[in-house]
Amino acid sequence: MNVFNSSQSWVDEFSDPIRPLGMVPTMGALHQGHMTLIERALKENNTVLVTIFINPTQFNDKTDLERYPQDLDADIKKIEQFRGNIFVYTPAVEDVYGNNITAKSFNLGGLDEPMEGVKRKNHFHGVATVVSYFLEIFQPNRAYFGEKDFQQLRVIEQLSKALALNTKIIGCPIIREPDGLAMSSRNQLLGVEDRKKAPMIFQLLQLLKAQSALLSYRALREIVHDFFKKNDSLKLDYFVICDPKTLQEIDFKQSPGTGRAFIAVYLGKIRLIDNLDMS
Ligand code: PAF
């Protein structure tokens, strides 16, 4: 394993890896979801590059950025367990942004606008800024992203198309804890009581899926609103069912069909997102 923190050293020393090169971009605090991405990337490529970088421009909330979990030593130890040709890029903010820490503007085809786009202004332009930097510098053959951030996955596919990049963007299924909670670096910020309640988010999505052949989207929304009335220690931020390609909300009168349900929930100050294919 080779850990480096300057993109110049990649250009000078390693830029000719044995291709194909698979990239797994992360913000660290690695969990089993990330490990699964790395494992898949190792299976499908000769060389894997993991990036660990907490990207400031994708945080619209300063407190969220400040409390984002980080433990680089633990992350490196986890990656060391893999066999294979692995590079780990752990840049400082200056290596990515110089002294201009701002998000660029991209054509994200409107995919950035609903859901997280409404709640986290400019978030996806921040994500696109750092991901396009990584894709352009390292030119991986494949890049791997988890479906927990399903909207992000769609946005990055669009970004890659808009910039005519040659990287294949690969979406990978959500990895869940045994109790159903979608794995996320933010889960470790939950207090003990909130952690016990967090699996209710996936339980609700499963209940909706079980009803989705029989009920309209409008009726499913009512179930969701009743659920949050009864469980007021969880606060609903949004719930929508969208077409998985366009991310446009489906008609209230329709049943979900091949739609995908998306939810964001606050447990105390911690905001968790999840999603589930309704078909
Ligand atoms: O999903 C993440 O961890 C981040 O949004 C990403 C893709 C690494 C960009 O900072």
Side-chain angles (χ1 to χ4, degrees):
M1 189 178 77
N2 222 313
V3 182
F4 66 103
N5 56 21
S6 116
S7 52
Q8 192 56 45
S9 63
W10 174 267
V11 175
D12 293 345
E13 297 168 49
F14 318 119
S15 64
D16 199 14
I18 308 161
R19 287 195 176 253
L21 173 67
M23 186 169 82
V24 181
T26 81
M27 296 206 295
L30 302 182
H31 51 68
Q32 193 50 41
H34 297 114
M35 296 296 115
T36 309
L37 298 180
I38 297 171
E39 221 167 80
R40 175 153 175 201
L42 278 166
K43 266 194 201 131
E44 296 179 355
N45 301 277
N46 282 319
T47 309
V48 169
L49 171 63
V50 181
T51 65
I52 299 179
F53 178 62
I54 300 181
N55 171 35
T57 66
Q58 70 187 75
F59 288 82
N60 55 322
D61 174 353
K62 227 178 147 201
T63 326
D64 189 25
L65 172 61
E66 281 162 7
R67 73 176 164 219
Y68 198 85
Q70 49 181 312
D71 188 345
L72 186 57
D73 292 343
D75 288 344
I76 300 288
K77 281 200 186 107
K78 285 180 189 162
I79 301 172
E80 265 169 359
Q81 293 168 18
F82 290 103
R83 287 181 163 212
N85 202 12
I86 305 188
F87 291 83
V88 185
Y89 176 47
T90 61
V93 174
E94 300 72 47
D95 200 55
V96 176
Y97 285 98
N99 52 17
N100 183 21
I101 309 173
T102 49
K104 292 183 190 157
S105 205
F106 295 88
N107 166 14
L108 301 176
L111 292 164
D112 57 313
E113 287 169 13
M115 301 188 283
E116 294 301 294
V118 175
K119 301 290 175 176
R120 304 179 69 189
K121 283 269 162 270
N122 228 26
H123 166 68
F124 287 117
H125 288 278
V127 170
T129 302
V130 77
V131 171
S132 62
Y133 172 80
F134 291 154
L135 294 178
E136 276 161 1
I137 291 269
F138 301 114
Q139 301 186 15
N141 301 79
R142 302 185 182 89
Y144 297 81
F145 297 88
E147 285 185 347
K148 193 191 71 78
D149 296 298
F150 193 91
Q151 186 175 9
Q152 169 175 279
L153 171 63
R154 285 281 169 272
V155 162
I156 291 169
E157 284 167 352
Q158 161 63 25
L159 174 74
S160 168
K161 223 188 277 166
L163 299 180
L165 299 170
N166 285 324
T167 303
K168 185 161 194 258
I169 305 299
I170 298 181
C172 303
I174 299 175
I175 304 297
R176 297 183 179 278
E177 300 287 354
D179 60 14
L181 176 63
M183 289 197 184
S184 161
S185 303
R186 286 193 168 84
N187 292 353
Q188 58 179 277
L189 300 173
L190 293 168
V192 177
E193 286 310 309
D194 286 335
R195 174 63 188 82
K196 283 186 197 154
K197 289 175 194 150
M200 289 165 81
I201 302 169
F202 183 52
Q203 286 159 15
L204 174 63
L205 290 179
Q206 283 179 304
L207 173 87
L208 299 171
K209 183 176 169 121
Q211 302 283 326
S212 67
L214 304 168
L215 297 181
S216 66
Y217 175 27
R218 190 193 301 276
L220 295 174
R221 280 176 68 93
E222 274 166 29
I223 295 179
V224 172
H225 288 293
D226 286 350
F227 173 90
F228 282 96
K229 259 188 221 147
K230 283 191 198 117
N231 298 287
D232 60 1
S233 54
L234 285 79
K235 192 170 152 272
L236 179 65
D237 196 19
Y238 65 75
F239 168 77
V240 277
I241 299 181
C242 296
D243 177 299
K245 285 215 169 72
T246 62
L247 301 186
Q248 290 301 306
E249 200 171 0
I250 64 164
D251 193 313
F252 274 21
K253 286 183 267 169
Q254 276 176 13
S255 62
T258 56
R260 198 166 185 106
F262 295 86
I263 194 164
V265 175
Y266 278 100
L267 284 120
K269 292 198 167 100
I270 307 308
R271 183 173 177 276
L272 301 180
I273 58 171
D274 201 348
N275 64 83
L276 188 65
D277 171 20
M278 292 282 107
S279 60

